[in-house]
Amino acid sequence: MTVDTALDPGSVATARRRLLMEALGIAASATGFGFVYGLAAREAGFSPIEAMAMSTFAFAGAAQFAAIGYVASGLAWPGVILLTFLLNARHLLYSAALAPWLRDVPFLRRAVMAHLLTDEAFALAIGHFRRLGRTDERGYWIGAIASTFIPWNLATLAGVLLGAGIPDPTRFGIDVIFPAAMIGLAVGLISGRRELVAAIVGGGVGVVMSLITSPAIGIVAGGLIGPLVGLQVPAALAHETAPLGTVASAERFVVPGAHVKDVPDPDRPWQEPRP
Amino acid sequence: MSTELVLLALLMFAVTYPSRALGLLTPGFERLPRVALDYLQLVGPAVLAALAVVNAVVVVRAERPMLNVGIEALGVVACLAITAWRKNLLLGLLVAVVIVAVVRAAGIAPPPG
């Protein structure tokens, strides 16, 4: 057994109830958004198996939505892989932040935990552990599986199957879901002036390069050049409110509108020693 | 039923899983250079904005990219405004879809392409 058994049963039960309530809110949002992803994937020509493979294997909302755009614009797979890597590299910090809490969990279980480590799972788990003051492995599974993995995958399946039954999606405006979802997710990530500059430059460069070359190249150029220009904003003027790797940052990546309430917001949790 | 993109999904897994696992499975891996952290923080907004804007205003006709500012762009702007104002992406998406569907149903703007 892991450290679960060393915890006071009363405090664990109370903390898990609170975790469940938080997870339910996240699950509701993941369900809605997973459904929209399924619809958008179907609209872009993904088969149900392909859409489900994305949700099961990649299991990364923003990157999955982005992949729809990459594929639809004809971006070559190496470009898709590069942008997916960059977009998901933030998970390294979540992983590092949770490592001190989970180091007593057997290696194989940690390896499985890693696949389920999303923005939502990180925000829920780190808050749960800190409230308890100790590790609760079952709490991690509850947060990761119940809040996101199951709702996201079931909703993807529902969306992609229902999308297949709509004869002319553009008639119902479903084609606008993808770009609207992308801009909404981008808004959710803007936590300072650097992000704002990166987003504006990314969009601008994307359009200009698309018109000069092709949409596929434009998207890559915008995604790579935007951050370089954003970095030119001096740190003193950035007004950063959610540094990468913090709970506040994780909540930025969670679908806007879904919030984990009352979670402590340390500046650099991955640098904290385990209690 | 097409399964070609299943391989792409597996490749996406292959480049995502290490980021999720390295910290958990390799203690002490947490320290990246500050500039790398800052760059990663900006990749998300930049690439998502590029995807949004390109998909909203660029169309390809006869293999030639063209600027096309139509009702889709208005829907995207509406979603942006609502998400920024109400912090609710699903509401923003709903409004965007309704705007585009109503305008098209009224015959004011045809679907692109």
Side-chain angles (χ1 to χ4, degrees):
Chain A
M1 288 296 288
T2 66
V3 288
D4 290 32
T5 52
L7 298 174
D8 169 55
S11 64
V12 173
T14 303
R16 282 185 186 160
R17 272 197 296 276
R18 183 169 171 179
L19 175 69
L20 270 175
M21 293 308 294
E22 294 171 347
L24 280 176
I26 297 284
S29 176
T31 300
F33 207 58
F35 185 76
V36 171
Y37 165 74
L39 282 178
R42 189 63 190 169
E43 161 70 10
F46 285 41
S47 71
I49 289 176
E50 291 169 334
M52 286 306 298
M54 291 276 179
S55 283
T56 305
F57 300 133
F59 186 43
Q64 286 181 236
F65 265 100
I68 293 175
Y70 305 149
V71 171
S73 65
L75 180 60
W77 282 16
V80 178
I81 300 305
L82 171 66
L83 288 175
T84 300
F85 168 73
L86 290 172
L87 198 52
N88 288 336
R90 68 187 184 279
H91 291 109
L92 180 63
L93 302 178
Y94 302 156
S95 175
L98 285 172
W101 298 90
L102 298 172
R103 65 182 167 207
D104 290 338
V105 175
F107 184 87
L108 281 178
R109 291 220 290 271
R110 268 184 286 145
V112 177
M113 284 174 153
H115 179 55
L116 300 171
L117 181 54
T118 58
D119 307 296
E120 292 88 343
F122 168 72
L124 287 171
I126 200 90
H128 180 62
F129 295 164
R130 289 174 63 85
R131 279 195 298 269
L132 274 174
R134 303 193 63 168
T135 302
D136 175 24
E137 187 186 342
R138 269 176 233 167
Y140 181 88
W141 295 117
I142 290 170
I145 295 175
S147 78
T148 317
F149 190 78
I150 291 174
W152 179 258
N153 277 278
L154 289 180
T156 295
L157 184 62
V160 76
L161 291 178
L162 188 66
I166 301 175
D168 182 11
T170 58
R171 187 177 154 205
F172 301 103
I174 290 175
D175 55 310
V176 82
I177 286 177
F178 175 73
M182 290 298 97
I183 203 69
L185 286 170
V187 166
L189 300 187
I190 293 172
S191 61
R193 289 180 182 164
R194 282 180 166 175
E195 287 87 351
L196 183 61
V197 169
I200 292 171
V201 172
V205 168
V207 170
V208 171
M209 289 301 291
S210 291
L211 295 173
I212 295 172
T213 58
S214 75
I217 293 173
I219 290 164
V220 175
L224 297 179
I225 295 172
L228 289 176
V229 178
L231 282 177
Q232 305 312 309
V233 176
L237 299 176
H239 294 288
E240 183 58 65
T241 59
L244 195 61
T246 63
V247 172
S249 171
E251 285 198 324
R252 291 278 176 180
F253 280 89
V254 169
V255 178
H259 297 289
V260 181
K261 302 289 185 191
D262 303 321
V263 173
D265 187 10
D267 279 343
R268 282 288 190 273
W270 65 86
Q271 293 175 356
E272 290 187 359
R274 183 183 176 179
Chain B
M1 186 179 291
S2 171
T3 56
E4 184 186 348
L5 295 178
V6 173
L7 179 58
L8 180 62
L10 288 169
L11 291 171
M12 288 172 66
F13 164 80
V15 295
T16 299
Y17 185 77
S19 298
R20 288 171 162 160
L22 275 173
L24 282 178
L25 304 179
T26 314
F29 198 82
E30 63 269 31
R31 307 225 175 250
L32 284 176
R34 178 75 212 183
V35 68
L37 294 176
D38 289 344
Y39 185 85
L40 290 176
Q41 173 118 353
L42 304 182
V43 167
V47 75
L48 295 178
L51 278 163
V53 180
V54 168
N55 275 276
V57 303
V58 177
V59 296
V60 179
R61 292 198 179 106
E63 299 187 7
R64 192 169 162 218
M66 301 174 71
L67 197 62
N68 175 52
V69 182
I71 189 61
E72 302 80 16
L74 181 63
V76 169
V77 170
C79 181
L80 186 157
I82 288 169
T83 307
W85 175 44
R86 302 293 298 174
K87 307 284 185 230
N88 189 329
L89 178 54
L90 289 177
L91 179 63
L93 291 175
L94 182 66
V95 170
V97 168
V98 167
I99 288 173
V100 173
V102 167
V103 169
R104 285 180 184 163
I108 299 171

PDB file of all heavy atoms in Angstrom, chain A residues 39 42-43 48 158-169 172 174:
ATOM      1  N   LEU A  39     -17.672  16.865 -32.239  1.00  0.00           N
ATOM      2  CA  LEU A  39     -18.364  17.484 -33.384  1.00  0.00           C
ATOM      3  C   LEU A  39     -17.364  18.097 -34.359  1.00  0.00           C
ATOM      4  O   LEU A  39     -17.460  17.911 -35.582  1.00  0.00           O
ATOM      5  CB  LEU A  39     -19.318  18.582 -32.892  1.00  0.00           C
ATOM      6  CG  LEU A  39     -20.664  18.184 -32.295  1.00  0.00           C
ATOM      7  CD1 LEU A  39     -21.413  19.436 -31.835  1.00  0.00           C
ATOM      8  CD2 LEU A  39     -21.509  17.424 -33.313  1.00  0.00           C
ATOM      9  N   ARG A  42     -15.395  15.494 -36.277  1.00  0.00           N
ATOM     10  CA  ARG A  42     -16.212  14.894 -37.334  1.00  0.00           C
ATOM     11  C   ARG A  42     -16.335  15.847 -38.521  1.00  0.00           C
ATOM     12  O   ARG A  42     -16.232  15.438 -39.678  1.00  0.00           O
ATOM     13  CB  ARG A  42     -17.602  14.561 -36.765  1.00  0.00           C
ATOM     14  CG  ARG A  42     -18.452  13.752 -37.698  1.00  0.00           C
ATOM     15  CD  ARG A  42     -17.806  12.399 -37.960  1.00  0.00           C
ATOM     16  NE  ARG A  42     -18.477  11.691 -39.024  1.00  0.00           N
ATOM     17  CZ  ARG A  42     -18.012  10.595 -39.593  1.00  0.00           C
ATOM     18  NH1 ARG A  42     -16.865  10.094 -39.200  1.00  0.00           N
ATOM     19  NH2 ARG A  42     -18.677   9.998 -40.542  1.00  0.00           N
ATOM     20  N   GLU A  43     -16.538  17.125 -38.210  1.00  0.00           N
ATOM     21  CA  GLU A  43     -16.658  18.138 -39.253  1.00  0.00           C
ATOM     22  C   GLU A  43     -15.371  18.218 -40.085  1.00  0.00           C
ATOM     23  O   GLU A  43     -15.399  18.464 -41.282  1.00  0.00           O
ATOM     24  CB  GLU A  43     -16.979  19.497 -38.611  1.00  0.00           C
ATOM     25  CG  GLU A  43     -16.714  20.740 -39.448  1.00  0.00           C
ATOM     26  CD  GLU A  43     -17.683  20.884 -40.611  1.00  0.00           C
ATOM     27  OE1 GLU A  43     -18.669  20.116 -40.655  1.00  0.00           O
ATOM     28  OE2 GLU A  43     -17.439  21.744 -41.476  1.00  0.00           O
ATOM     29  N   PRO A  48     -14.821   8.183 -36.302  1.00  0.00           N
ATOM     30  CA  PRO A  48     -14.976   7.993 -34.851  1.00  0.00           C
ATOM     31  C   PRO A  48     -13.756   7.341 -34.207  1.00  0.00           C
ATOM     32  O   PRO A  48     -13.348   7.729 -33.110  1.00  0.00           O
ATOM     33  CB  PRO A  48     -16.210   7.093 -34.759  1.00  0.00           C
ATOM     34  CG  PRO A  48     -17.023   7.445 -35.961  1.00  0.00           C
ATOM     35  CD  PRO A  48     -16.018   7.709 -37.040  1.00  0.00           C
ATOM     36  N   ALA A 158     -19.741  10.668 -28.116  1.00  0.00           N
ATOM     37  CA  ALA A 158     -21.085  11.178 -28.396  1.00  0.00           C
ATOM     38  C   ALA A 158     -21.039  12.249 -29.483  1.00  0.00           C
ATOM     39  O   ALA A 158     -21.859  12.246 -30.411  1.00  0.00           O
ATOM     40  CB  ALA A 158     -21.699  11.751 -27.121  1.00  0.00           C
ATOM     41  N   GLY A 159     -20.071  13.146 -29.392  1.00  0.00           N
ATOM     42  CA  GLY A 159     -19.975  14.236 -30.363  1.00  0.00           C
ATOM     43  C   GLY A 159     -19.675  13.741 -31.762  1.00  0.00           C
ATOM     44  O   GLY A 159     -20.277  14.178 -32.742  1.00  0.00           O
ATOM     45  N   VAL A 160     -18.728  12.814 -31.873  1.00  0.00           N
ATOM     46  CA  VAL A 160     -18.329  12.350 -33.198  1.00  0.00           C
ATOM     47  C   VAL A 160     -19.427  11.491 -33.834  1.00  0.00           C
ATOM     48  O   VAL A 160     -19.619  11.524 -35.059  1.00  0.00           O
ATOM     49  CB  VAL A 160     -16.967  11.618 -33.129  1.00  0.00           C
ATOM     50  CG1 VAL A 160     -17.086  10.231 -32.548  1.00  0.00           C
ATOM     51  CG2 VAL A 160     -16.313  11.560 -34.493  1.00  0.00           C
ATOM     52  N   LEU A 161     -20.174  10.761 -33.019  1.00  0.00           N
ATOM     53  CA  LEU A 161     -21.270   9.957 -33.569  1.00  0.00           C
ATOM     54  C   LEU A 161     -22.445  10.831 -33.968  1.00  0.00           C
ATOM     55  O   LEU A 161     -23.042  10.652 -35.036  1.00  0.00           O
ATOM     56  CB  LEU A 161     -21.717   8.901 -32.557  1.00  0.00           C
ATOM     57  CG  LEU A 161     -20.710   7.778 -32.283  1.00  0.00           C
ATOM     58  CD1 LEU A 161     -21.238   6.823 -31.234  1.00  0.00           C
ATOM     59  CD2 LEU A 161     -20.366   7.035 -33.570  1.00  0.00           C
ATOM     60  N   LEU A 162     -22.759  11.814 -33.138  1.00  0.00           N
ATOM     61  CA  LEU A 162     -23.862  12.711 -33.470  1.00  0.00           C
ATOM     62  C   LEU A 162     -23.497  13.571 -34.677  1.00  0.00           C
ATOM     63  O   LEU A 162     -24.321  13.829 -35.555  1.00  0.00           O
ATOM     64  CB  LEU A 162     -24.209  13.608 -32.274  1.00  0.00           C
ATOM     65  CG  LEU A 162     -25.460  14.451 -32.433  1.00  0.00           C
ATOM     66  CD1 LEU A 162     -26.699  13.565 -32.500  1.00  0.00           C
ATOM     67  CD2 LEU A 162     -25.605  15.440 -31.280  1.00  0.00           C
ATOM     68  N   GLY A 163     -22.212  13.986 -34.734  1.00  0.00           N
ATOM     69  CA  GLY A 163     -21.768  14.803 -35.859  1.00  0.00           C
ATOM     70  C   GLY A 163     -21.925  14.084 -37.178  1.00  0.00           C
ATOM     71  O   GLY A 163     -22.236  14.687 -38.209  1.00  0.00           O
ATOM     72  N   ALA A 164     -21.743  12.763 -37.139  1.00  0.00           N
ATOM     73  CA  ALA A 164     -21.881  11.973 -38.369  1.00  0.00           C
ATOM     74  C   ALA A 164     -23.312  11.976 -38.875  1.00  0.00           C
ATOM     75  O   ALA A 164     -23.559  11.758 -40.058  1.00  0.00           O
ATOM     76  CB  ALA A 164     -21.422  10.537 -38.114  1.00  0.00           C
ATOM     77  N   GLY A 165     -24.266  12.244 -37.992  1.00  0.00           N
ATOM     78  CA  GLY A 165     -25.671  12.233 -38.389  1.00  0.00           C
ATOM     79  C   GLY A 165     -26.165  13.567 -38.901  1.00  0.00           C
ATOM     80  O   GLY A 165     -27.335  13.685 -39.284  1.00  0.00           O
ATOM     81  N   ILE A 166     -25.320  14.573 -38.899  1.00  0.00           N
ATOM     82  CA  ILE A 166     -25.732  15.896 -39.386  1.00  0.00           C
ATOM     83  C   ILE A 166     -25.335  16.011 -40.849  1.00  0.00           C
ATOM     84  O   ILE A 166     -24.141  16.019 -41.169  1.00  0.00           O
ATOM     85  CB  ILE A 166     -25.071  17.017 -38.557  1.00  0.00           C
ATOM     86  CG1 ILE A 166     -25.472  16.872 -37.079  1.00  0.00           C
ATOM     87  CG2 ILE A 166     -25.464  18.391 -39.091  1.00  0.00           C
ATOM     88  CD1 ILE A 166     -24.778  17.845 -36.156  1.00  0.00           C
ATOM     89  N   PRO A 167     -26.305  16.104 -41.776  1.00  0.00           N
ATOM     90  CA  PRO A 167     -25.980  16.034 -43.202  1.00  0.00           C
ATOM     91  C   PRO A 167     -25.180  17.230 -43.725  1.00  0.00           C
ATOM     92  O   PRO A 167     -24.292  17.064 -44.534  1.00  0.00           O
ATOM     93  CB  PRO A 167     -27.353  15.958 -43.875  1.00  0.00           C
ATOM     94  CG  PRO A 167     -28.317  16.504 -42.853  1.00  0.00           C
ATOM     95  CD  PRO A 167     -27.745  16.196 -41.515  1.00  0.00           C
ATOM     96  N   ASP A 168     -25.494  18.436 -43.290  1.00  0.00           N
ATOM     97  CA  ASP A 168     -24.800  19.621 -43.797  1.00  0.00           C
ATOM     98  C   ASP A 168     -24.407  20.502 -42.608  1.00  0.00           C
ATOM     99  O   ASP A 168     -25.109  21.460 -42.273  1.00  0.00           O
ATOM    100  CB  ASP A 168     -25.713  20.401 -44.759  1.00  0.00           C
ATOM    101  CG  ASP A 168     -24.994  21.610 -45.333  1.00  0.00           C
ATOM    102  OD1 ASP A 168     -23.764  21.713 -45.151  1.00  0.00           O
ATOM    103  OD2 ASP A 168     -25.669  22.457 -45.945  1.00  0.00           O
ATOM    104  N   PRO A 169     -23.265  20.200 -41.977  1.00  0.00           N
ATOM    105  CA  PRO A 169     -22.898  20.900 -40.739  1.00  0.00           C
ATOM    106  C   PRO A 169     -22.764  22.414 -40.904  1.00  0.00           C
ATOM    107  O   PRO A 169     -23.059  23.167 -39.981  1.00  0.00           O
ATOM    108  CB  PRO A 169     -21.557  20.271 -40.357  1.00  0.00           C
ATOM    109  CG  PRO A 169     -21.526  18.964 -41.068  1.00  0.00           C
ATOM    110  CD  PRO A 169     -22.297  19.166 -42.332  1.00  0.00           C
ATOM    111  N   PHE A 172     -25.658  24.670 -40.064  1.00  0.00           N
ATOM    112  CA  PHE A 172     -25.932  24.949 -38.657  1.00  0.00           C
ATOM    113  C   PHE A 172     -24.787  25.717 -37.984  1.00  0.00           C
ATOM    114  O   PHE A 172     -24.786  25.877 -36.764  1.00  0.00           O
ATOM    115  CB  PHE A 172     -26.202  23.645 -37.910  1.00  0.00           C
ATOM    116  CG  PHE A 172     -27.361  22.875 -38.472  1.00  0.00           C
ATOM    117  CD1 PHE A 172     -27.152  21.772 -39.273  1.00  0.00           C
ATOM    118  CD2 PHE A 172     -28.671  23.290 -38.237  1.00  0.00           C
ATOM    119  CE1 PHE A 172     -28.223  21.058 -39.803  1.00  0.00           C
ATOM    120  CE2 PHE A 172     -29.742  22.590 -38.772  1.00  0.00           C
ATOM    121  CZ  PHE A 172     -29.530  21.472 -39.565  1.00  0.00           C
ATOM    122  N   ILE A 174     -21.733  24.827 -37.619  1.00  0.00           N
ATOM    123  CA  ILE A 174     -20.817  23.990 -36.835  1.00  0.00           C
ATOM    124  C   ILE A 174     -19.363  24.206 -37.259  1.00  0.00           C
ATOM    125  O   ILE A 174     -18.443  24.019 -36.465  1.00  0.00           O
ATOM    126  CB  ILE A 174     -21.245  22.508 -36.942  1.00  0.00           C
ATOM    127  CG1 ILE A 174     -22.561  22.334 -36.177  1.00  0.00           C
ATOM    128  CG2 ILE A 174     -20.192  21.562 -36.385  1.00  0.00           C
ATOM    129  CD1 ILE A 174     -23.180  20.965 -36.278  1.00  0.00           C
TER     130      ILE A 174
END
